[in-house]
Amino acid sequence: HEALADIEDELAGLEAQAMAEQQRMALKQALSELPERTQEIFRLNRIEGMTHAEVARHLEISDSSVQKHLSKALAYV
């Protein structure tokens, strides 16, 4: 019974990994369809962890522009 439980646990882990990979690929595909600036802002904020203000300063745009791009990206993905 213990060996079967271990196999089931391993299978569940593999299924979770496969699902996570599918989600990453779907997100990557969706983001690739957005304008480059929107992709960059999403990456800086959501992946690199920069705040809206930091992104705005880094790209020399307004905070409201950052928010608009992020809203667009999040609504799309």
Side-chain angles (χ1 to χ4, degrees):
H1 296 292
E2 199 172 303
L4 182 58
D6 289 344
I7 292 170
E8 289 174 345
D9 288 346
E10 187 175 328
L11 181 59
L14 291 172
E15 288 173 347
Q17 286 177 352
M19 185 176 285
E21 182 61 25
Q22 286 177 334
Q23 290 173 342
R24 277 192 293 277
M25 294 304 292
L27 176 60
K28 187 175 180 179
Q29 175 62 37
L31 288 174
S32 73
E33 296 169 4
L34 293 170
E36 285 185 36
R37 181 66 117 185
T38 304
Q39 290 179 42
E40 181 178 24
I41 290 169
F42 182 89
R43 179 182 54 79
L44 290 171
N45 177 254
R46 297 298 170 136
I47 297 171
E48 295 187 20
M50 293 174 74
T51 66
H52 291 188
E54 290 170 334
V55 173
R57 278 193 303 276
H58 179 75
L59 298 177
E60 299 180 349
I61 59 174
S62 69
D63 191 64
S64 64
S65 290
V66 171
Q67 292 175 14
K68 288 176 188 175
H69 281 279
L70 283 174
S71 293
K72 180 179 181 177
L74 292 172
Y76 189 73
V77 298

